Amino acid sequence: MTSQRGIPAPMKHLRHTVIRAGLEALYFSGAHMLLRPIFAGVGAIFMLHHVRPWRGGEFRPNHHLEVTPEFLRAMLTHLRSRDIDIISIDEAYHRLIAGDFARRFACFTFDDGYRDNRDFALPVLREFDAPFTLYVTSDFAEGSGRLWWIALELAVSKATAIEAVIGGVPTRLETASLAAKQAAFDRLHDWLRGLAEHDLRREVAALCARHGVDDAAICRDLCMSWDELKPLACDPLVTVGAHSITHCRLARQREEIASRELALGRARIEEMLRCPVLHLAYPYGDRSAAGQREFALARAAGYKTAVTTRPGMVFAENADHLTALPRVSLNGHYQEARILPVLTSGAATAMWNGFRRIDAA
Ligand SMILES: [Zn+2]
């Protein structure tokens, strides 16, 4: 799961509107064609979460974390039509250290280990013989993890009002209408995201208890168990990477805790799936979750690469920052086919980065 960089709720909606307008402007102006040679880099690492058919329903606050199988197919078709190599993250690593940029590449990466990746993404990826990486959170595979953003969605979805002590102030949020639910979700999400890990868990557990949400079941409902992951780990298309033990914001943890999340998360996957784990995705992956200290810890833990959620194409210079790789989010907000060439041109991520090429500081 990724976060949205500490932006207040109303700003988030504005931001999506601005990004959408930006993507549209790039497309209709043809500017993405002009920017391609400068910002397309040597390749892209695409980031996905859920892949599943559109489920309908009006209240979908986590919609940005899902795309449809059709959108994934459209992207794969687009990449093939542009003769871009679809390669594993390990092959990307080798091309980066060898400086082998004769052909542009794309990697597909999926965070958290959702079962829909197997049920809906894998068949599409197989059609294209496209390798991909699954970043597994070991507590999610264990069935003991907490996907608090889903728990919050379920609680707000069920409730007609939610009471919480936000910043020391007892607060009552109406959640009867769709608009009220959306506003309450954003408010609660921003509040919870700012809490320390144990406070976050306690508050979400209390919310779930009050509103009849089975917090513990969410992980088992959505994420693959070790037994489900085993056949995937043996699939030649699949690379299994690590995504920490508990899915915490590493940068907010004491160094020994962060280091343990990286080292033991990996060891646990290797023990359960009997495959080497050499690649990492930082949970949340933005600046508040992964910075210089985490980039060094990932190197020290022996990862060959580590991906963030900082937006960007991969450039030759990223060979010097292999544990701070940027990604391009394929998400539910922007699923129109005409956006595809804009995303692969690098113009979109360049726009988000203020036209910097490398962001590894
Ligand atoms: Zn995640």
Side-chain angles (χ1 to χ4, degrees), residues 280-297:
L280 168 77
Y282 303 101
Y284 307 101
D286 59 13
R287 281 171 189 286
S288 73
Q292 286 300 333
R293 186 191 73 173
E294 288 65 42
F295 303 156
L297 288 177

Side-chain angles (χ1 to χ4, degrees), residues 1-2 49 111-112 114 137 140 149 243 247 282-284:
M1 184 262 182
T2 61
H49 291 80
D111 290 13
D112 302 338
Y114 296 114
T137 298
F140 292 176
W149 54 98
H243 197 43
H247 204 283
Y282 303 101
Y284 307 101

Side-chain angles (χ1 to χ4, degrees), residues 94-112:
H94 286 292
R95 289 193 189 186
L96 277 164
I97 55 169
D100 171 9
F101 307 125
R103 293 176 55 79
R104 290 189 68 213
F105 68 81
C107 296
F108 282 81
T109 66
F110 298 80
D111 290 13
D112 302 338

Side-chain angles (χ1 to χ4, degrees), residues 71-329:
F71 181 72
L72 176 60
R73 184 178 286 109
M75 181 48 112
L76 286 157
T77 304
H78 172 71
L79 293 169
R80 287 278 189 243
S81 76
R82 294 200 55 85
D83 199 27
I84 293 170
D85 290 348
I86 301 170
I87 62 175
S88 68
I89 193 75
D90 212 59
E91 172 68 14
Y93 165 82
H94 286 292
R95 289 193 189 186
L96 277 164
I97 55 169
D100 171 9
F101 307 125
R103 293 176 55 79
R104 290 189 68 213
F105 68 81
C107 296
F108 282 81
T109 66
F110 298 80
D111 290 13
D112 302 338
Y114 296 114
R115 189 173 292 112
D116 56 49
N117 294 174
R118 179 197 67 190
D119 296 343
F120 297 107
L122 175 60
V124 176
L125 290 153
R126 213 184 277 298
E127 277 172 39
F128 291 82
D129 199 24
F132 62 98
T133 303
L134 288 175
Y135 292 112
V136 171
T137 298
S138 51
D139 275 1
F140 292 176
E142 209 77 47
S144 61
R146 289 290 187 274
L147 288 81
W148 66 268
W149 54 98
I150 311 277
L152 178 63
E153 173 179 338
L154 294 176
V156 173
S157 170
K158 284 180 138 188
T160 50
I162 286 189
E163 288 176 14
V165 180
I166 300 179
V169 182
T171 307
R172 181 185 159 86
L173 300 168
E174 296 302 325
T175 52
S177 70
L178 175 63
K181 283 186 194 302
Q182 192 62 58
F185 179 90
D186 288 343
R187 177 97 188 270
L188 292 163
H189 190 277
D190 287 348
W191 163 59
L192 290 166
R193 194 182 48 192
L195 297 179
E197 211 66 30
H198 58 277
D199 293 331
L200 165 64
R201 288 194 172 222
R202 189 195 59 236
E203 293 294 344
V204 172
L207 261 176
C208 288
R210 280 202 299 277
H211 298 285
V213 172
D214 185 355
D215 190 12
I218 294 172
C219 169
R220 294 192 294 274
D221 283 350
L222 293 177
C223 297
M224 286 182 280
S225 66
W226 293 121
D227 280 345
E228 291 174 295
L229 286 164
K230 273 176 195 155
L232 287 177
C234 301
D235 192 309
L237 282 186
V238 179
T239 302
V240 177
H243 197 43
S244 83
I245 304 172
T246 64
H247 204 283
C248 61
R249 272 174 209 282
L250 295 168
R252 291 219 198 129
Q253 311 302 317
R254 292 202 318 272
E255 182 162 333
E256 62 266 35
I257 305 273
S259 173
R260 185 176 171 276
E261 288 274 348
L262 296 182
L264 292 189
R266 172 186 183 189
R268 183 74 177 141
I269 301 171
E270 291 185 332
E271 176 198 339
M272 295 306 288
L273 301 182
R274 308 245 166 248
C275 63
V277 174
L278 301 168
H279 303 277
L280 168 77
Y282 303 101
Y284 307 101
D286 59 13
R287 281 171 189 286
S288 73
Q292 286 300 333
R293 186 191 73 173
E294 288 65 42
F295 303 156
L297 288 177
R299 271 196 305 277
Y303 290 105
K304 288 157 93 175
T305 72
V307 292
T308 66
T309 59
R310 298 183 187 195
M313 310 302 276
V314 177
F315 292 90
E317 299 94 306
N318 282 113
D320 299 328
H321 307 279
L322 288 167
T323 56
L325 295 174
R327 289 191 284 178
V328 176
S329 170

